[in-house]
């Protein structure tokens, strides 16, 4: 028996959506050198696939933050586990995220990166859950709006597992005791 039930975003869905998002991003940033900031570890897959659709003048850097612990609900406490290597002064920054749930992580991250003197800070997230729509965060690029179910795959984990799945699937509630 699989631990996940329905596949809600297939490998092909992801690929087609990233094609469209990438085109929009390349157009919006025409002639500018963008720093893509991936949020570890969940964003590794979307970063890898999005970055390969970008001009070779775009650069990548990574941050690790923690807002979750090992459960399935945001704790509201955000800590930097790994900071950027790049000076953001005058840079156009595009945060690349896997999913926005409560929006707590992103709200905090936006404030943090904007305070470092970047010329612009925008967000691209593969997935967005309904709660996030209520938070006052302007997410410029969204792949898919999905239901509030806990999902895994394509970088998203439950207790570090399932990140390697090439698609996004709903984790069965009995797996996490929900
Ligand atoms: P937020 O602060 O509630 O928006 O949650 C942000 C982080 O929680 C995401 O970057 C994910 O790492 C994690 N997260 C939120 N929802 C899910 C989910 O359904 N599956 C796996 N991880 C999730
Ligand atoms: Mg994440």
């Amino acid at each position: 028996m699989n631990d996940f039930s329905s596949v809600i975003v297939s490998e092909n869905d992801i690929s087609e959506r990233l094609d469209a998002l990438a085109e929009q991003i390349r157009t919006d940033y025409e002639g500018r050198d963008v720093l893509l900031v991936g949020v570890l570890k969940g964003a590794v897959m979307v970063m890898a696939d999005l970055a390969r659709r970008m001009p070779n003048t775009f650069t990548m850097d990574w941050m690790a933050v923690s807002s979750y612990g090992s459960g399935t609900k945001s704790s509201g406490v955000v800590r930097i586990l790994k900071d950027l290597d790049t000076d953001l002064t005058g840079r156009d920054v595009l945060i690349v995220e896997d999913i926005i749930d409560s929006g707590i992580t992103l709200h905090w991250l936006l404030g943090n990166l904007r305070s470092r003197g970047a010329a612009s800070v925008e967000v691209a997230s593969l997935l967005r859950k309904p709660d996030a729509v209520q938070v006052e965060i302007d997410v410029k690029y969204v792949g898919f709006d999905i239901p509030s179910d806990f999902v895994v795959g394509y970088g998203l984990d439950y207790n570090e597992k399932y990140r390697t799945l090439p698609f996004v699937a709903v984790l069965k509630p009995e797996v996490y005791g929900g």
Side-chain angles (χ1 to χ4, degrees):
M1 191 185 75
N2 284 326
D3 293 342
F4 46 90
S5 47
S6 54
V7 172
I8 56 166
V9 188
S10 73
E11 210 173 342
N12 193 52
D13 292 340
I14 293 170
S15 170
E16 285 184 0
R17 189 72 189 106
L18 287 181
D19 282 345
L21 281 182
E23 189 178 344
Q24 207 186 328
I25 291 167
R26 288 193 306 264
T27 305
D28 290 351
Y29 289 98
E30 177 107 57
R32 286 144 78 191
D33 298 338
V34 175
L35 174 66
L36 302 171
V37 171
V39 184
L40 294 169
K41 304 169 191 167
V44 286
M45 302 296 181
V46 59
M47 175 67 121
D49 285 341
L50 191 65
R52 278 180 285 188
R53 289 164 164 85
M54 293 299 133
N56 57 23
T57 52
F58 280 33
T59 52
M60 281 187 272
D61 203 347
W62 301 90
M63 270 184 96
V65 298
S66 160
S67 66
Y68 246 44
S70 59
T72 60
K73 289 266 180 291
S74 281
S75 66
V77 180
V78 181
R79 285 185 303 144
I80 296 182
L81 305 177
K82 185 229 169 284
D83 206 349
L84 298 172
D85 300 325
T86 313
D87 177 7
L88 297 192
T89 312
R91 298 300 307 269
D92 289 306
V93 176
L94 181 59
I95 298 172
V96 179
E97 261 285 24
D98 48 357
I99 190 166
I100 307 166
D101 183 3
S102 70
I104 291 169
T105 311
L106 197 58
H107 181 263
W108 179 89
L109 198 58
L110 276 168
N112 184 284
L113 297 192
R114 284 189 172 133
S115 74
R116 305 189 197 190
S120 69
V121 185
E122 298 291 350
V123 181
S125 182
L126 181 73
L127 306 169
R128 181 170 64 183
K129 287 184 178 178
D131 284 352
V133 181
Q134 287 150 37
V135 189
E136 298 257 326
I137 303 177
D138 191 20
V139 183
K140 198 161 182 190
Y141 309 98
V142 178
F144 301 92
D145 280 299
I146 62 167
S148 311
D149 309 301
F150 195 81
V151 293
V152 293
Y154 197 68
L156 290 157
D157 75 305
Y158 174 67
N159 285 347
E160 297 298 326
K161 281 164 61 183
Y162 312 104
R163 292 193 198 275
T164 58
L165 294 172
F167 47 77
V168 179
V170 176
L171 189 66
K172 286 182 178 165
E174 55 263 38
V175 177
Y176 58 88

